[in-house]
Amino acid sequence: MDVNEKEEFSGEKRNTSYDSADNHPSDWRIPGSNPVSAPFGSYSTENLITASCSPSQMMDSFGQTLWYDPTNLQAVGYGGFSGGHPSSSSSSCFRGNMDRSLEMGWSMPNLLPPKGNGLFLPNASSFLPPSMAQLPADSGFVERAARFSLFSDMVNQPLAKPESVGLFLEGQCPSTEVNVGVAHNDASTAMKGPNVRSSEQASKPNVSEDTQSSGQKGGETSSKGFDSKKRKRNRQNSEADQSHKSEEEAENNGDKKRNDEQSPNSPGNKTNSGKQQGKQTSDPKDGYIHVRARRGQATNSHSLAERVRREKISERMKFLQDLVPGCNKVTGKAVMLDEIINYVQSLQRQVEFLSMKLATVNPQMDFNLEALLAKDVRELQLRGGSSSATPFPQNMPMVYPPLPHGFMQQTLSSIGRNISSPLSPINGGYKRQETNGWEGDLQNVIHINYGAGDVPSDPEAATASLPSSNMKVEP
Amino acid sequence: MKEEFLKKWQMGLQIYRPLIDNTSVSERRKAIKLSADVAMASLRKGTTCWSRALIQKTATEDNFLVRQMLSGIKAETLINKKLPKVMCHRKIVRRSKKILRRRQSRSAIEEVAAKARKLVKKKTQGLRNVVPGGEFMSNDVLLIQETLDYIVSLQTQVNVMRSIVDAAEAGSERTAYYLGKLKFAIEDG
């Protein structure tokens, strides 16, 4: 889990670094891919923290995305992580916090930035390149944007990423709204200086009032503008939110089935990212997740909640996709679930098989930790050809098989049978000695192997230690 | 993570070592597997559902081991805690759904969507069967989360065990060669 933890921290640091103001996991919702690193590549590689380990390769991509939440939690300290904790604890903390702080976690990014837009840019990085080209600086849009309640949504978002916000908006909505959003973003960013919060808050009531009073067209466009994204608002904006929400609901009453959400909106992943953004701005204080209905979707609480739930599920499925090898090409829940089930079953079977193997290999079951770890190192050395004078493992003497001479015949017969695995544990230790001094000494090898070969066939004999065998083995 | 798992596993195996008379391979395997499972689950310290379920499952088989391996209060709480009674009575749910479904529309699209949903439901049920404690996870989100964590732990477990097996077997290659030579030499001569 080293790599995993590294990426956790890297993601966390990345957020902190580019977010200047806050440890904002703007890219925390990146679905499985790591385009995040593209714009923030400098951070990601540099900020790798060598934390304790975790299943590395599997978790690489997975960790980068999934662990932003705990990393952010960690960064902020909300999740109860401690920076110095080993990765295991952090990962376990993540797991532990996952559930109860899911809501919180959604709002973690919100917590972190005291100022900033309410919009999150989950896929900011991925959207960054395309959107950059399309950022329109339209004064008319800016004006309209100023009126949009979108403004208030952006209160809790760090303004450090205007482009990404624009990108996100762009990805989210149809072009008009995008422009609006982008322009709005520009306007908001332009209007807000470093002191985002104060200005935002000052403008927020204005915006909300404007939105409310803006009448049909303005209100409609504004609501459409941010209907395309699902956002979770801060408690501070709750009043504005509710007012806006009621407006939106009034607009969206025509939409019924939540299945329609895919059709009227641009591709699902974009809406997903938008929703993710919104989710991230939820308020940790009240623990609620204020979700804004998307354009063209049902707005009753049930469908909203269901949509939130489905988004969560799809996000996790994406993480699973990264974790389970060979799931990248698979699309669709059912097939992926199938793959996951097969993978879990195969892992379980592997565990059983390996434990069976270990049981046969090592009748004494004395897996000496240091010895085994040292063995791994030694094995690499040995395979490399170097015969290092490795320290004899402590447990080896215990492993020496008792070898009554009467067993020699048996050993010979069993040698053919038990060449590989049964001999391995003893031979592990013996081999060290062999390589040290007895490379070509078949005689000694025979002695050793007699003892070794005897073990699996005669576990009882193993308990009766014979000094002779020990003498044979020792150099 | 790996080192911690290994340490805990060693601890569990230490408990079994005095019982050196478990000579049968199956008993040893069982001991190894149980201690590995408990070690894996204890790493999560009861934060995840599957770890709790796994510990409780092994507690039924070997309470002593579990108690020894888990230190402190956790052991007691985890062992004695009753399993969450969120077991879904699938048959009842299915029956009630059938009643509700009678009045639903039968458009083609609806049917396809319904079939897809059924398939997904079946798969999630299969996943619940595989993941320890899956039956008690009330919602899909939790299930998938637990699956994620469980997969990660399984992977560590497999990696550690495989490396141990490889290390233990490492010596066998050369000795196998020598043994082969010896065997032929003896047979010939």
Side-chain angles (χ1 to χ4, degrees):
Chain A
M1 293 219 176
D2 285 328
V3 183
N4 181 24
E5 288 310 313
K6 287 180 191 175
E7 293 182 330
E8 271 189 56
F9 286 98
S10 71
E12 162 193 353
K13 276 205 173 177
R14 184 186 321 164
N15 293 333
T16 52
S17 49
Y18 75 71
D19 203 355
S20 67
D22 310 299
N23 321 338
H24 197 145
S26 69
D27 51 351
W28 106 277
R29 286 299 171 199
I30 295 176
S33 62
N34 297 334
V36 181
S37 51
F40 314 111
S42 57
Y43 302 113
S44 58
T45 49
E46 292 157 16
N47 295 338
L48 279 183
I49 300 178
T50 55
S52 46
C53 56
S54 71
S56 54
Q57 57 271 26
M58 310 293 179
M59 297 292 285
D60 281 355
S61 56
F62 159 59
Q64 193 157 21
T65 57
L66 172 62
W67 302 92
Y68 285 171
D69 198 11
T71 54
N72 286 323
L73 290 170
Q74 202 156 6
V76 183
Y78 291 104
F81 294 112
S82 63
H85 269 203
S87 62
S88 60
S89 64
S90 60
S91 55
S92 58
C93 284
F94 162 70
R95 286 295 165 200
N97 293 333
M98 192 62 165
D99 295 341
R100 60 180 164 80
S101 62
L102 242 185
E103 304 306 314
M104 294 257 312
W106 293 106
S107 61
M108 280 321 295
N110 211 16
L111 271 184
L112 308 174
K115 55 185 178 181
N117 296 330
L119 292 173
F120 270 85
L121 320 166
N123 301 320
S125 61
S126 51
F127 292 136
L128 209 65
S131 62
M132 289 303 287
Q134 305 174 19
L135 274 180
D138 195 328
S139 57
F141 283 133
V142 171
E143 290 167 6
R144 272 210 289 170
R147 283 200 307 239
F148 293 161
S149 61
L150 185 65
F151 209 84
S152 60
D153 292 345
M154 301 171 102
V155 170
N156 298 322
Q157 282 250 337
L159 287 184
K161 328 175 241 322
E163 308 90 5
S164 50
V165 172
L167 289 175
F168 162 73
L169 292 175
E170 180 174 15
Q172 284 297 313
C173 350
S175 57
T176 53
E177 279 95 354
V178 174
N179 293 341
V180 167
V182 167
H184 170 68
N185 211 354
D186 292 342
S188 58
T189 52
M191 278 188 269
K192 304 169 195 168
N195 307 328
V196 175
R197 189 183 206 124
S198 52
S199 57
E200 285 172 343
Q201 284 178 344
S203 52
K204 194 197 351 169
N206 299 336
V207 175
S208 56
E209 288 166 355
D210 287 344
T211 333
Q212 285 173 349
S213 59
S214 60
Q216 291 295 327
K217 230 184 187 178
E220 221 165 342
T221 46
S222 63
S223 60
K224 277 181 191 173
F226 44 76
D227 276 358
S228 58
K229 349 173 212 336
K230 207 181 197 182
R231 287 180 299 271
K232 296 190 186 168
R233 294 157 172 274
N234 212 343
R235 172 175 278 258
Q236 302 162 357
N237 307 332
S238 57
E239 298 165 22
D241 291 350
Q242 284 156 12
S243 62
H244 294 310
K245 234 179 182 173
S246 54
E247 267 190 70
E248 289 180 351
E249 288 179 2
E251 315 284 358
N252 296 332
N253 267 343
D255 306 317
K256 268 121 195 159
K257 287 184 75 173
R258 68 173 190 277
N259 290 335
D260 292 341
E261 65 184 25
Q262 298 302 330
S263 37
N265 288 342
S266 32
N269 54 352
K270 289 185 181 170
T271 53
N272 198 5
S273 58
K275 197 187 308 186
Q276 291 160 358
Q277 267 202 7
K279 281 178 186 167
Q280 292 164 348
T281 55
S282 66
D283 186 3
K285 284 184 246 169
D286 56 8
Y288 288 107
I289 296 178
H290 297 267
V291 174
R292 170 149 290 200
R294 263 189 294 209
R295 176 188 180 179
Q297 294 171 6
T299 52
N300 56 336
S301 59
H302 287 301
S303 40
L304 277 181
E306 280 196 55
R307 208 181 318 141
V308 170
R309 181 182 150 273
R310 261 184 298 125
E311 292 297 337
K312 283 190 198 170
I313 289 182
S314 55
E315 280 215 27
R316 278 156 186 75
M317 299 280 274
K318 284 187 191 125
F319 292 138
L320 274 174
Q321 235 180 357
D322 297 333
L323 205 56
V324 177
C327 241
N328 301 326
K329 304 121 191 171
V330 171
T331 51
K333 266 196 199 172
V335 188
M336 222 168 64
L337 281 173
D338 222 7
E339 289 291 320
I340 291 165
I341 290 174
N342 290 338
Y343 186 61
V344 171
Q345 278 175 340
S346 79
L347 280 178
Q348 285 174 343
R349 267 182 264 130
Q350 265 182 357
V351 167
E352 294 229 16
F353 170 74
L354 283 173
S355 66
M356 166 81 79
K357 205 168 183 188
L358 275 175
T360 58
V361 146
N362 198 333
Q364 291 80 10
M365 294 207 304
D366 50 358
F367 304 110
N368 194 325
L369 178 58
E370 302 82 27
L372 289 170
L373 289 178
K375 254 194 226 178
D376 289 331
V377 173
R378 264 179 276 137
E379 270 318 300
L380 294 174
Q381 291 173 350
L382 285 166
R383 293 212 178 108
S386 65
S387 62
S388 55
T390 55
F392 201 62
Q394 303 93 306
N395 63 337
M396 277 314 145
M398 300 185 327
V399 172
Y400 284 178
L403 184 54
H405 290 277
F407 285 122
M408 201 174 279
Q409 285 297 105
Q410 215 169 350
T411 312
L412 277 176
S413 57
S414 67
I415 280 179
R417 270 189 294 117
N418 305 327
I419 278 195
S420 58
S421 53
L423 303 171
S424 46
I426 292 89
N427 292 335
Y430 294 155
K431 189 181 180 183
R432 307 295 176 275
Q433 296 207 327
E434 292 172 35
T435 53
N436 287 345
W438 307 339
E439 280 290 335
D441 196 342
L442 259 182
Q443 192 68 14
N444 291 325
V445 169
I446 292 170
H447 287 310
I448 293 164
N449 290 331
Y450 280 0
D454 191 40
V455 170
S457 49
D458 268 329
E460 296 91 343
T463 56
S465 60
L466 285 179
S468 60
S469 58
N470 289 343
M471 282 161 52
K472 284 181 210 165
V473 174
E474 288 166 5
Chain B
M1 178 94 160
K2 277 190 197 168
E3 289 102 16
E4 291 188 16
F5 166 71
L6 195 54
K7 279 183 205 146
K8 293 226 163 180
W9 189 24
Q10 296 276 330
M11 198 187 347
L13 287 174
Q14 296 269 359
I15 297 165
Y16 275 105
R17 202 168 299 176
L19 321 166
I20 205 70
D21 54 351
N22 49 353
T23 56
S24 85
V25 178
S26 59
E27 270 198 47
R28 288 204 296 268
R29 171 186 59 81
K30 185 175 157 195
I32 288 174
K33 181 162 185 303
L34 281 183
S35 42
D37 284 344
V38 178
M40 193 172 75
S42 65
L43 278 181
R44 291 295 178 221
K45 302 189 181 68
T47 48
T48 56
C49 188
W50 66 263
S51 60
R52 290 193 292 266
L54 195 59
I55 287 176
Q56 277 155 352
K57 257 187 235 172
T58 54
T60 58
E61 296 185 29
D62 192 344
N63 216 339
F64 175 70
L65 170 73
V66 176
R67 275 180 206 279
Q68 290 295 314
M69 286 195 63
L70 302 175
S71 54
I73 323 136
K74 274 271 177 173
E76 303 304 320
T77 53
L78 282 177
I79 293 170
N80 298 332
K81 194 164 80 168
K82 285 204 293 191
L83 292 174
K85 295 189 175 168
V86 196
M87 293 199 68
C88 315
H89 303 277
R90 308 257 159 209
K91 283 191 185 161
I92 297 172
V93 170
R94 237 179 279 150
R95 227 174 279 160
S96 52
K97 273 196 183 164
K98 248 190 232 175
I99 297 168
L100 285 170
R101 221 177 290 143
R102 277 189 204 146
R103 299 286 285 163
Q104 292 210 353
S105 66
R106 310 268 166 168
S107 72
I109 304 169
E110 271 268 346
E111 280 178 358
V112 167
K115 278 195 188 141
R117 259 177 266 135
K118 250 193 253 174
L119 199 58
V120 170
K121 282 253 166 80
K122 255 194 193 172
K123 304 290 183 187
T124 50
Q125 177 59 24
L127 190 58
R128 276 176 216 265
N129 293 337
V130 176
V131 174
E135 292 290 338
F136 310 112
M137 295 171 203
S138 44
N139 57 341
D140 288 346
V141 181
L142 184 63
L143 174 68
I144 294 189
Q145 248 171 257
E146 296 285 325
T147 312
L148 274 171
D149 200 45
Y150 185 57
I151 286 180
V152 165
S153 315
L154 273 180
Q155 280 171 351
T156 24
Q157 201 178 3
V158 165
N159 288 337
V160 168
M161 291 178 95
R162 192 181 287 145
S163 59
I164 289 184
V165 169
D166 286 345
E169 280 193 341
S172 73
E173 291 174 7
R174 205 166 292 194
T175 46
Y177 167 71
Y178 286 131
L179 284 173
K181 273 177 107 179
L182 166 68
K183 183 181 177 190
F184 287 125
I186 292 172
E187 285 169 2
D188 291 342

